[in-house]
Amino acid sequence: MNLTVLLGSLAAVFVVAAISWLMGLGRNPRIGSEADARQLAREAHSGFRPISAAVSIDGKAALVAGQGGDYVLLRDHGANVAARVLHEAPSIRRDGAMLIVETGEMMFGDLHLELEDDAAQHWTEELTSRPGAIAHG
C-alpha cells in the first residue's frame, strides 16, 4: 500500500468522524433541567401545558405533569429522547429516593427517576392523590 492511499484513507476517516460529531451522532441526550423537560414535553404532545416536572438526577428521565391531568414521560433513547403521553396518573413504586413509574408498555418500559428524598416524597404524594392513581410499596 502506498503512502498516498494510506493518508487519503486516514483523512477520509477523520472527515466522517468530524461530520458525525457535528451532527450530534453518538451523544447521549440529557434532560438538564425542569425547563428542558417542560419544553421536550410540549414538543412531544401538541397542546400540552406543563405545570411541574421531576427530572432524574442523572438527566436520563423525567416526568412532566400538565394541566388537565395529562402526564408526559421522557427517557433517553439512543441519541434522542423518547416520550409517552399518559392521560391519567401512572402507577408508581418508590424505593427510597427512586421513583419507578410503571408504564405497562414493554417497548418503553418502566421509568426510573432518581430524585432527592423530598422530591420523591412530593411526587409520590402528588401521583397517589390524583383520581385513578395506583401506588405500590
Side-chain angles (χ1 to χ4, degrees):
M1 176 181 287
N2 68 34
L3 186 59
T4 306
V5 173
L6 178 63
L7 293 176
S9 296
L10 284 174
V13 168
F14 286 122
V15 167
V16 170
I19 291 170
S20 298
W21 179 79
L22 289 171
M23 292 176 59
L25 300 177
R27 287 189 199 151
N28 289 328
R30 181 161 166 74
I31 304 166
S33 66
E34 288 186 23
D36 290 345
R38 290 176 183 182
Q39 181 60 35
L40 288 165
R42 279 190 213 91
E43 292 171 5
H45 182 33
S46 178
F48 183 75
R49 296 183 314 265
I51 298 171
S52 57
V55 179
S56 185
I57 291 171
D58 62 7
K60 293 183 176 187
L63 167 67
V64 185
Q67 293 178 352
D70 287 349
Y71 293 86
V72 174
L73 307 178
L74 302 167
R75 76 159 359 127
D76 66 339
H77 182 72
N80 299 305
V81 174
R84 288 296 182 270
V85 178
L86 304 176
H87 298 291
E88 59 185 28
S91 298
I92 61 165
R93 288 189 324 242
R94 185 167 168 209
D95 183 10
M98 180 72 70
L99 189 66
I100 302 164
V101 181
E102 299 174 343
T103 66
E105 278 189 47
M106 288 189 64
M107 295 296 286
F108 192 77
D110 293 342
L111 190 73
H112 293 77
L113 295 164
E114 184 181 348
L115 305 172
E116 299 291 334
D117 286 331
D118 56 341
Q121 181 63 34
H122 165 77
W123 280 95
T124 300
E125 292 170 3
E126 168 79 18
L127 293 169
T128 56
S129 68
R130 301 262 176 139
I134 300 171
H136 304 283

